[in-house]
Amino acid sequence: MHTDTERCVRAVRSKDARFDGWFFTAVLTTGIYCRPSCPVVPPKPENMVFHPSAASCQQAGFRACKRCRPDTSPGSPEWNHRADLVARAMRLIADGVVDREGVPGLAGRLGYSTRQVERQLLAELGAGPLALARAQRAQTARLLIETTALPMARIAFAAGFASIRTFNDTVREVFALPPSELRASAPKRQGASTPGALSLRLPFRAPLNPDNLFGHLAATAVPGVEEWRDGSYRRTLRLPYGHGIVALTPTPDHIACRLTLSDLRDLTVAISRCRRLLDLDADPVAIDEQLRTDPVLAPLVDKAPGRRVPRAVDEAEFAVRAVLGQQVSTAAARTHAARLVTAHGEPVDDPEGGLTHLFPAPETLAEVDPETLAMPRTRRTTFTTLVRRLADGDLRLGVESDWAADPCPAPRPARLRPLDGRRHRHARPRRPGRLPPHRPRHPPRRPGPGPALDPGRAHGPRGGLAPLAGLCRPVPLGDRQPPDQLPSGIG
């Protein structure tokens, strides 16, 4: 988008916050870069240069604006729905892979050479993986400097810098202030906080409907791992260097996030996973406009704009819980997951609430005796096969995963097999245009009202969106969770 100069200039002049994170505006006369919604007077068009990322602006010699804080803008929604090399690399960089494993580790996870990864990122974002990771480290350092009283040396290594000198030079270059002056200019902290606890804001693009988002998380919360307490969704996190506890509270203009970490080096990873859990980098205006083109979805979107579908902080945990919830109620799925957590989860200490365990890792679940699982045989087989493949690394569900694990360019239906080992007839390849043997060529017409009279019947495709109508219908969450444990306005 940054190549469309006319469109970017209109967005800057209108101070449209929807474009924050899509591109950044660098001002040639002042040497700073801003987000499109910066409240200052817009510069002249001939003095504006547009960049696709904050790292690209910093690499070109521009420093961050102290008024709009462009480094804290929401991320681009492109990295959420795209599955190409650049999108997967950006998700991994946000997850701290470059800080932990370096650029060779990033390239190895993506399955490409280091040169190819650098070439693709430079072509699309104007900065390589090291520059992107450096910009992220600078943002983490600023956050620790302004919100904690930690010594600067500890902040430098917690943010991912290899030396204190590099930390000082980067902060001075990006924010035009040395670390000590940056801390002095920050708002004063009020009250004593829990050791290791950080309070920060997670920005998002408006509108946001928190009722269905947090209501779903509260309704499906696994006891001991998740809870709804005092208007906040709280859960434990398994992180690369330790564990953490996060409390997420919806507010009108941001998500209040309180993190308690056993190791501050996990701060960047924890923030990235919380944003991914709530889908905060989405563009709800563009999504709602697309959904309104369908007459079935339009009234539902107008009634509750800004709906988001919760995602996951741990893809392996999400997959295990999906298997546990097959063909059972929400309460039964929570019970099954709670039993696994109590028996095999790693205990944690939560002085501020009732969280007790981390969700068991696949390596731990792979050693569980299948006979101790209270579930049908086929689902037990699915569960054991899933955790074994996750533990062995045969099945990768992380942020670096592509939509198709099969490297073959053409789809091969014969490769699709259920995890329980059964061979279904609909999974076998067949000749194009030929119906499977179990399906009648002319199915009998069922009696009853037609689609126009029966709102529960499926309608014909309308722009390819009609099958999604059921996803936007309000879900009655009050019968899944006691009303006193749900967020206000849900039920």
Side-chain angles (χ1 to χ4, degrees):
M1 179 180 176
H2 68 285
T3 57
D4 191 344
T5 304
E6 182 179 355
R7 188 180 180 186
C8 292
V9 169
R10 291 201 307 267
V12 172
R13 288 181 172 176
S14 62
K15 303 184 185 302
D16 196 337
R18 294 179 301 169
F19 293 93
D20 289 351
W22 283 94
F23 68 91
F24 296 85
T25 305
V27 185
L28 299 175
T29 53
T30 60
I32 65 174
Y33 71 95
C34 307
R35 63 172 73 189
S37 62
C38 184
V40 302
V41 178
K44 296 180 180 179
E46 57 268 22
N47 294 329
M48 291 189 288
V49 179
F50 303 105
H51 292 263
S53 63
S56 176
C57 296
Q58 296 172 14
Q59 198 167 5
F62 296 93
R63 69 178 189 274
C65 176
K66 300 177 183 178
R67 185 80 179 272
C68 67
R69 297 286 183 88
D71 55 318
T72 61
S73 60
S76 173
E78 291 289 320
W79 318 135
N80 284 337
H81 68 84
R82 283 171 47 178
D84 57 358
L85 171 62
V86 174
R88 293 160 58 200
M90 289 298 293
R91 293 196 293 266
L92 283 173
I93 293 173
D95 210 47
V97 170
V98 174
D99 295 334
R100 298 190 303 269
E101 305 175 15
V103 179
L106 172 67
R109 284 177 175 249
L110 296 172
Y112 287 82
S113 65
T114 302
R115 179 178 177 275
Q116 182 73 355
V117 173
E118 292 178 346
R119 187 182 68 83
Q120 293 278 1
L121 291 175
L122 281 171
E124 185 158 349
L125 297 173
L130 285 178
L132 293 167
R134 176 176 177 268
Q136 183 169 274
R137 286 194 292 267
Q139 179 183 349
T140 304
R142 181 193 60 78
L143 184 63
L144 292 173
I145 290 171
E146 296 181 347
T147 60
T148 69
L150 294 174
M152 293 299 175
R154 187 177 176 187
I155 289 177
F157 295 112
F161 289 96
S163 66
I164 299 177
R165 179 178 180 180
T166 305
F167 161 72
N168 291 328
D169 293 343
T170 301
V171 172
R172 187 180 293 107
E173 179 182 349
V174 173
F175 303 108
L177 287 175
S180 57
E181 294 185 16
L182 187 62
R183 171 169 284 178
S185 63
K188 299 299 181 181
R189 296 177 297 276
Q190 298 179 356
S193 60
T194 305
L198 301 172
S199 296
L200 55 141
R201 297 183 175 189
L202 302 182
F204 58 81
R205 295 180 179 87
L208 172 70
N209 187 343
D211 290 352
N212 81 298
L213 181 62
F214 285 88
H216 176 83
L217 294 174
T220 59
V222 177
V225 177
E226 304 166 289
E227 68 174 356
W228 179 265
R229 180 184 292 267
D230 299 331
S232 300
Y233 167 75
R234 305 179 72 248
R235 71 154 294 147
T236 58
L237 300 173
R238 185 183 298 276
L239 300 169
Y241 294 105
H243 67 271
I245 296 176
V246 61
L248 301 170
T249 308
T251 65
D253 58 347
H254 67 275
I255 300 295
C257 176
R258 180 176 174 82
L259 280 167
T260 305
L261 303 174
S262 60
D263 194 319
L264 287 177
R265 290 178 294 177
D266 290 322
L267 176 60
T268 301
V269 182
I271 294 175
S272 173
R273 295 185 181 181
C274 291
R275 296 191 62 83
R276 190 162 68 244
L277 170 68
L278 302 180
D279 199 17
L280 298 184
D281 292 333
D283 188 354
V285 175
I287 295 173
D288 289 349
E289 288 179 356
Q290 183 67 27
L291 294 177
R292 284 191 183 97
T293 59
D294 187 273
V296 177
L297 300 181
L300 302 175
V301 175
D302 294 335
K303 183 179 180 180
R307 283 179 175 266
R308 284 170 168 86
V309 178
R311 305 179 76 179
V313 295
D314 189 330
E315 289 75 12
E317 173 191 331
F318 182 81
V320 171
R321 292 174 60 175
V323 172
L324 294 177
Q326 286 181 340
Q327 301 175 353
V328 296
S329 64
T330 303
R334 295 176 57 198
T335 301
H336 284 308
R339 290 172 181 169
L340 285 178
V341 168
T342 304
H344 308 286
E346 179 181 344
V348 297
D349 183 24
D350 179 22
E352 299 180 357
L355 303 179
T356 59
H357 292 80
L358 296 174
F359 196 87
E363 294 78 9
T364 303
L365 294 176
E367 300 176 356
V368 175
D369 184 5
E371 299 300 327
T372 62
L373 301 175
M375 59 182 67
R377 180 182 57 83
T378 55
R379 200 182 316 145
R380 188 187 310 162
T381 304
T382 303
F383 175 84
T384 54
T385 306
L386 172 65
V387 296
R388 185 173 61 253
R389 293 187 61 186
L390 289 171
D392 296 341
D394 297 336
L395 182 62
R396 301 171 62 184
L397 301 177
V399 294
E400 76 276 12
S401 302
D402 203 345
W403 305 135
D406 191 349
C408 300
R412 295 186 179 182
R415 292 177 177 264
L416 302 179
R417 292 289 182 267
L419 291 175
D420 56 12
R422 294 180 298 174
R423 183 181 180 91
H424 298 280
R425 287 182 294 176
H426 63 267
R428 292 186 300 177
R430 59 180 182 270
R431 293 195 299 270
R434 182 178 179 182
L435 291 174
H438 65 280
R439 186 185 303 172
R441 187 170 296 275
H442 299 288
R445 181 180 181 85
R446 294 184 297 176
L453 301 179
D454 186 357
R457 298 277 294 276
H459 293 264
R462 296 188 177 119
L465 297 176
L468 301 177
L471 299 179
C472 295
R473 294 194 182 105
V475 179
L477 297 177
D479 58 345
R480 299 183 179 180
Q481 188 85 347
D484 58 342
Q485 299 183 18
L486 285 175
S488 58
I490 303 176

